[in-house]
Amino acid sequence: MRYLILALVAIYLCVTQAIAQAEWKRVAARDGIKVYAKGVRDSKIKAMKAECTLHADVEEVIALLMDVEAAGQWVCHTKSCKLIKRVSDTELFYHTEVSLPWPLDNRDFVTQLKVLRDEADGVVTVDAPAVPGIVPVREGVVRVSRSINRWIIRPLPNGQAWVEYTLQVDPGGHIPAHVVNMFACRAPIETFENMRKVLAARRKARTGSR
């Protein structure tokens, strides 16, 4: 009985620790944009999550995410973003190079983006993980071969959308974890602010409103 009790206590402690590790903690907030971080097992790089309400409907947000060439207008630190292959209206591959300050090397990655719709509640999930190969590795640019990117877009009344973005990435190469975590805290806010501006400009151009 004693060993059984000890085993149960050990299991409880392990489960409690796992749950604690999985908790998101808010690390930044501005203009309704909230950024959260949490530790990742066997990694010094934290997973990040950002969320906010956008004055755009679900289809407008999807259209922006699928417009690869427009990424430089709103995705923080994007140097270039080019379409590789459009598989269908809901799937494509693209290549991105991200600018980092000297003396750090720029990063690049190939993304496979897929749009998944839940017809029951109208929620759209856009998965955009990094995938290996396709584009040759270039000298002086570090290839990111592992990342998990996900957008969850939920329709709201009055033509708005609630958006949640999660990112877990291994930046590769030699870069201090605290530098990565610092950029990861700031970048989502700048990205969402830019996203709002681009969506507003597109809606204005489409409707001809002033």
Side-chain angles (χ1 to χ4, degrees), residues 190-202:
E190 183 175 334
T191 293
F192 271 120
E193 288 177 339
N194 293 338
M195 195 178 197
R196 282 174 169 170
K197 294 176 183 177
V198 173
L199 287 168
R202 288 187 170 200

Side-chain angles (χ1 to χ4, degrees), residues 156-167:
L156 296 176
N158 302 320
Q160 297 183 327
W162 177 87
V163 179
E164 175 187 289
Y165 173 66
T166 53
L167 169 66

Side-chain angles (χ1 to χ4, degrees), residues 10-179:
I11 293 173
Y12 171 79
L13 291 175
C14 289
V15 171
T16 301
Q17 183 179 14
I19 292 174
Q21 289 177 345
E23 290 181 351
W24 291 102
K25 295 184 178 180
R26 188 188 296 186
V27 294
R30 187 168 71 202
D31 296 333
I33 303 167
K34 300 175 183 178
V35 182
Y36 303 84
K38 71 174 182 179
V40 177
R41 186 183 296 274
D42 300 325
S43 176
K44 294 181 179 180
I45 309 300
K46 295 180 180 179
M48 307 300 299
K49 178 175 73 170
E51 58 186 30
C52 75
T53 297
L54 297 176
H55 297 289
D57 61 32
V58 171
E59 298 306 320
E60 289 174 299
V61 178
I62 294 172
L64 182 58
L65 295 178
M66 296 285 287
D67 187 354
V68 172
E69 285 75 14
Q73 301 175 23
W74 61 277
V75 181
C76 185
H77 302 301
T78 296
K79 180 179 179 180
S80 65
C81 193
K82 298 179 180 178
L83 179 68
I84 298 173
K85 179 181 180 181
R86 188 176 296 275
V87 180
S88 67
D89 290 340
T90 59
E91 181 181 1
L92 52 80
F93 291 81
Y94 63 89
H95 173 263
T96 303
E97 182 176 345
V98 177
S99 296
L100 293 180
W102 185 89
L104 301 175
D105 291 326
N106 285 358
R107 264 57 180 172
D108 77 339
F109 50 90
V110 175
T111 299
Q112 180 182 16
L113 183 149
K114 289 184 178 181
V115 178
L116 306 172
R117 298 176 182 268
D118 188 328
E119 300 299 338
D121 57 12
V123 175
V124 174
T125 300
V126 179
D127 281 320
V131 294
I134 303 179
V135 174
V137 176
R138 292 170 15 202
E139 184 177 356
V141 179
V142 177
R143 173 61 49 87
V144 175
S145 58
R146 291 184 298 169
S147 76
I148 300 172
N149 298 265
R150 173 171 292 176
W151 300 82
I152 298 176
I153 311 164
R154 188 181 304 277
L156 296 176
N158 302 320
Q160 297 183 327
W162 177 87
V163 179
E164 175 187 289
Y165 173 66
T166 53
L167 169 66
Q168 182 179 331
V169 61
D170 177 357
H174 301 288
I175 177 171
H178 74 274
V179 173

